[in-house]
Amino acid sequence: MKNKIINKLLHIDMAFKRRWYRCWNIVKMRLLDVKIGKCASMMNKVYVHVDDGAEVTIGSHFAVNSGDNTNPLCGNTRCSIYVAKGAKLKIGDWSGISGGCLWATDDISIGNHVNIGANCIIMDGDIHNTDWRLRQKDRLLKDSVPFKKLPIVIEDDVWLGANCLILKGVSIGARTIIGAGSVVTKDIPADCIAAGNPCKVIKINR
């Protein structure tokens, strides 16, 4: 009990910041035409970028830990949400993320009760073209060079361990656990534990 009180007194500034950003992050979402459900709890500063023509829908009780050790695993890493023009991002009820990045250039769909561990990155596009000549053109001429992008689907009750990377075109089945540090490049079925680089099924849960 004594240590609990001391910890709160030593970090009294965090309590004020949390309350402020809980309100401000909701306002920011509304200003960007994000449809967000009730009881969202977005701790500390969250980077949000939504282009014109993008569509973002977030369910109720959305939880975000963003920097300032609100979740010690993600330390001081801010959470980023980027949705490009014409892209879609849909997040269900009771889902949450800690200090990670959601980068939608096509379509990312995240179900209900999904736990996205510290510093995970979910991106549905390559962002840069795989042809080096086109990458040079993009840099030198500031041209809009197309890149590969494919939808991502993460079904209900999935748990992504810390520092996972979920790449374009991937589907993760319901109730599956992805081990920490995994790189998911192919579909993972429901009701299993998968891990590794590339991520593979290591146990079926029935």
Side-chain angles (χ1 to χ4, degrees), residues 5 13 26-27 37 44 52 67 70 75 88 90 98 105-106 113 117 128 149 153 170-171 183:
I5 295 170
D13 59 315
I26 296 292
V27 172
N44 294 319
D52 292 331
T70 49
K88 294 180 180 179
K90 183 178 180 181
S98 293
T105 57
D106 185 19
H113 298 275
H128 298 292
K149 49 188 178 181
V153 177
V170 160
S171 177
V183 179

Side-chain angles (χ1 to χ4, degrees), residues 183-198:
V183 179
V184 184
T185 60
K186 294 182 179 179
D187 291 353
I188 303 294
D191 297 299
C192 73
I193 297 175
N197 180 11

Side-chain angles (χ1 to χ4, degrees), residues 17-144:
K17 289 174 71 174
R18 288 177 182 179
R19 289 186 179 183
W20 160 253
Y21 279 116
R22 273 179 175 172
C23 298
W24 173 238
N25 286 324
I26 296 292
V27 172
K28 190 159 47 177
M29 293 282 194
R30 303 285 190 200
L31 291 172
L32 291 169
D33 294 324
V34 173
K35 298 173 184 175
I36 187 165
K38 62 181 181 180
C39 301
S41 177
M42 290 179 279
M43 300 280 199
N44 294 319
K45 187 174 183 178
V46 178
Y47 175 79
V48 182
H49 177 102
V50 179
D51 276 341
D52 292 331
E55 185 178 324
V56 184
T57 305
I58 300 174
S60 66
H61 299 88
F62 180 52
V64 178
N65 292 311
S66 181
D68 281 349
N69 285 294
T70 49
N71 177 343
L73 281 176
C74 64
N76 224 17
T77 304
R78 301 290 186 196
C79 180
S80 298
I81 299 173
Y82 181 98
V83 188
K85 184 177 181 179
K88 294 180 180 179
L89 171 63
K90 183 178 180 181
I91 302 173
D93 299 332
W94 293 95
S95 292
I97 182 170
S98 293
C101 175
L102 305 176
W103 193 330
T105 57
D106 185 19
D107 192 335
I108 296 177
S109 177
I110 298 170
N112 302 316
H113 298 275
V114 174
N115 294 335
I116 303 172
N119 304 320
C120 287
I121 297 175
I122 301 173
M123 52 192 302
D124 62 5
D126 289 340
I127 311 305
H128 298 292
N129 199 287
T130 53
D131 187 325
W132 63 270
R133 289 160 293 200
L134 292 178
R135 289 201 304 275
Q136 281 193 5
K137 180 183 177 184
D138 196 24
R139 286 195 185 95
L140 297 173
L141 302 179
K142 302 298 181 185
D143 209 357
S144 181

